[in-house]
């Protein structure tokens, strides 16, 4: 029987708590990431020559910092731990899907919902840290007080869409491969699995980017009108990014 | 059935937050710190390099200035040395010119002296030779002594004395103890002496005392010496003419002229 979600695979149960595959594989991914990070960063050198692991980590970190800086147009280090961990966790969870017997935690709605909830709370936390409580809450009433319900609905719906998008993509990929293994066990599942890896990376990227955009919208857009004139006179690139953000807000 | 388990969801939130903390500690902080330190090191090195570049530029500029100063100084020294050399050259040239002029003057003086000596010698020899030749010629041609002809010629000259000459002789003779001296290069015969005395007495209309002296330098001549006046016949005038001709001939220009004419 094909399990639609790893939540259903329960290894141990005690009362209301059940140790299912989602939690177990999440721990595995966590251990893998933390252990790799610890091993790789044990002997970091400031001056060249750098080790291969250090080079790889520096490339990944630098790439993530640049992406965050381009989107938020702020200091990226404040958002890097949260956004970077989202990307790394989701991408590693998805990429490990190639290992037989492994169930990606992201194929569980509990995991994607948990990540979406984290984003849902991270947005106001960063917004309030940046703008203050009043400054942050003020944006709900922009441009009019009547917009408050719509803003709230928007917040909720985008959180839901985050969770469902990731869950749907990864779960469907796993399901398709499982079904194809029953129908055509040769070749076709391999191609689809490769496609699944690509989709997994793309989804991780999308999730992280959207989280960044949401946080940026809470911390930067409402910084005040005095910056808007300056921003308009800046290069065209930020304008383009702004339109990209609007596109993201519209939902992928 | 697709549904979100609340406990799993809560566990996943906690798991995720733990992972954030772990990666923040083990990954982001460390890597970012290392990169920041490296960046700071590069910035420091760049700053030091810029500082060193500035120092090097300043040093180079100072060396350029020093080089320019040395060049200027060298040019000044060269100009000064040139001036000194020029002054020395002029000085040496003047000295050399003076020495040459002095040598030339000495040489010309020596030449002139030699010329004079030569002409004096020539004059005496020529006079002697002419006298000898004339004497021999007169002796051979007329069988008479040359001295006789000279005395005759001198007597003729006494006959033709001018008034002022006669006056001078008269005044001379009136002074006491004064004797008219007649110098010859040879001995005058007694007959001739008497003739001369007679001619003179005739000219001054009075008695006269004569003294005859032998003077070899007269060369075939007779000379009457009366204080400031002197009546003479000798070869001096001829020899003077000969000397003049020889002098002219011995001039440097004259030799060249003669050379041009093809006479030498």
């Amino acid at each position: 029987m094909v399990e639609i979600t790893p939540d259903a695979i329960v290894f141990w149960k005690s009362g209301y708590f059940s140790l299912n595959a989602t939690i177990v594989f999440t721990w595995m991914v966590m251990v893998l990431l933390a252990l790799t990070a610890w091993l790789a960063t044990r002997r970091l050198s400031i001056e060249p020559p750098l080790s291969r692991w250090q080079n790889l980590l520096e490339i990944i970190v630098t790439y993530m910092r640049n992406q965050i800086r381009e989107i938020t147009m702020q200091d990226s280090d404040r958002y890097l731990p949260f956004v970077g961990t989202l990307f790394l966790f989701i991408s590693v969870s998805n990429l490990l899907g190639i290992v037989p017997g492994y169930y990606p935690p992201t194929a569980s709605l509990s995991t994607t919902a948990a990540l979406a909830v984290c984003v849902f709370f991270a947005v106001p936390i960063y917004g309030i840290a940046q703008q203050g409580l009043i400054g942050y809450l003020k944006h709900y009433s922009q441009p009019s007080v009547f917009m408050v319900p719509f803003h709230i609905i928007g917040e909720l719906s985008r959180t839901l869409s985050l969770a469902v998008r990731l869950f749907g993509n990864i779960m469907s990929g796993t399901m398709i491969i499982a079904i194809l293994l029953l129908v055509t066990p040769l070749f076709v599942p391999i191609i689809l699995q490769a496609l699944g890896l690509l989709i997994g990376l793309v989804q991780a990227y999308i999730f992280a980017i959207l989280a960044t955009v949401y946080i940026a919208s809470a911390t930067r857009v409402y910084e005040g009108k005095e910056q808007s004139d300056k921003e308009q006179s800046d290069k065209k690139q930020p304008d383009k990014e702004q339109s990209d953000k609007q596109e993201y807000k519209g939902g992928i | 059935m697709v549904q979100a388990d609340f406990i799993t969801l809560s566990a996943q939130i906690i798991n995720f937050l733990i992972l954030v903390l772990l990666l923040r500690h083990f990954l982001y902080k460390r890597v970012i710190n290392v990169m920041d330190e490296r960046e700071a090191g590069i910035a420091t090195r760049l700053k030091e390099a810029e500082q060193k570049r500035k120092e090097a530029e300043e040093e180079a500029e100072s060396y350029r200035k020093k080089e320019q100063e040395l060049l200027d100084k060298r040019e000044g020294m060269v100009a000064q040395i040139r001036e000194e050399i020029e002054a020395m050259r002029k000085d040496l040239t003047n000295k050399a010119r003076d020495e040459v002029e002095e040598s030339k003057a000495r040489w010309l003086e020596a030449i002139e002296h030699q010329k004079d000596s030569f002409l004096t010698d020539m004059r005496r020899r020529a006079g002697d030779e002419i006298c000898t030749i004339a004497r021999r010629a007169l002796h051979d041609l007329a069988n008479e002594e040359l001295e006789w002809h000279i005395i005759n010629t001198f007597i003729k000259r006494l006959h033709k004395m001018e008034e002022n000459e006669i006056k001078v002789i008269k005044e001379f003779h009136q002074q006491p103890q004064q004797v008219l001296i007649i110098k010859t290069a040879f001995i005058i015969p007694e007959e001739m002496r008497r003739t001369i005395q007679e001619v003179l007495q005739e000219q001054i209309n009075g008695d006269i005392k004569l003294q005859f002296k032998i003077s070899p330098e007269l060369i075939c001549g007779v000379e009457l010496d009366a204080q400031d006046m002197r009546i003479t016949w000798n070869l001096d005038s001829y020899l003077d003419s000969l000397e003049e001709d020889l002098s002219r001939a011995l001039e440097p220009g004259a030799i060249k002229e003669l050379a041009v004419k093809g006479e030498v």
Side-chain angles (χ1 to χ4, degrees), chain B residues 55-71:
Chain B
E55 285 174 7
E57 276 181 4
E58 284 171 7
E59 206 163 333
E61 185 61 29
S62 102
Y63 278 120
R64 268 197 290 275
K65 277 183 185 171
K66 279 181 187 169
E67 190 185 5
Q68 189 59 41
E69 283 173 9
L70 284 174
L71 280 175

Side-chain angles (χ1 to χ4, degrees), chain B residues 99-115:
Chain B
E99 283 177 8
V100 167
E101 288 293 330
E102 202 177 326
S103 300
K104 187 181 167 186
R106 276 205 304 272
W107 180 73
L108 283 175
E109 195 180 342
I111 291 283
E112 195 64 31
H113 182 68
Q114 284 180 1
K115 194 171 82 179

Side-chain angles (χ1 to χ4, degrees), chain A residues 16 20 22 26-27 30 38 41 44-47 50 54 58 62 65 80 84-86 110-111 115 167, chain B residues 2 4-5 7-9 12-13 15-16 18-20 23 26-28 30-32 34-35 37-38 45:
Chain A
Y16 291 104
N20 53 36
T22 305
T26 299
W27 286 348
M30 283 170 67
W38 176 67
T41 58
L44 291 177
S45 63
I46 295 171
E47 299 296 330
L50 310 177
Q54 184 178 350
E58 284 191 9
T62 306
R65 287 174 92 189
L80 180 64
T85 308
L86 273 178
S110 304
T111 307
L115 297 178
F167 164 71
Chain B
V2 179
D5 179 5
I7 293 173
T8 308
L9 189 145
Q12 288 297 73
I13 289 172
N15 285 337
F16 178 72
I18 291 169
L19 184 62
V20 168
L23 289 186
F26 288 117
L27 182 64
Y28 305 122
R30 291 184 180 184
V31 173
I32 286 172
V34 166
M35 288 198 294
E37 282 177 29
R38 188 184 304 138
R45 282 203 294 276

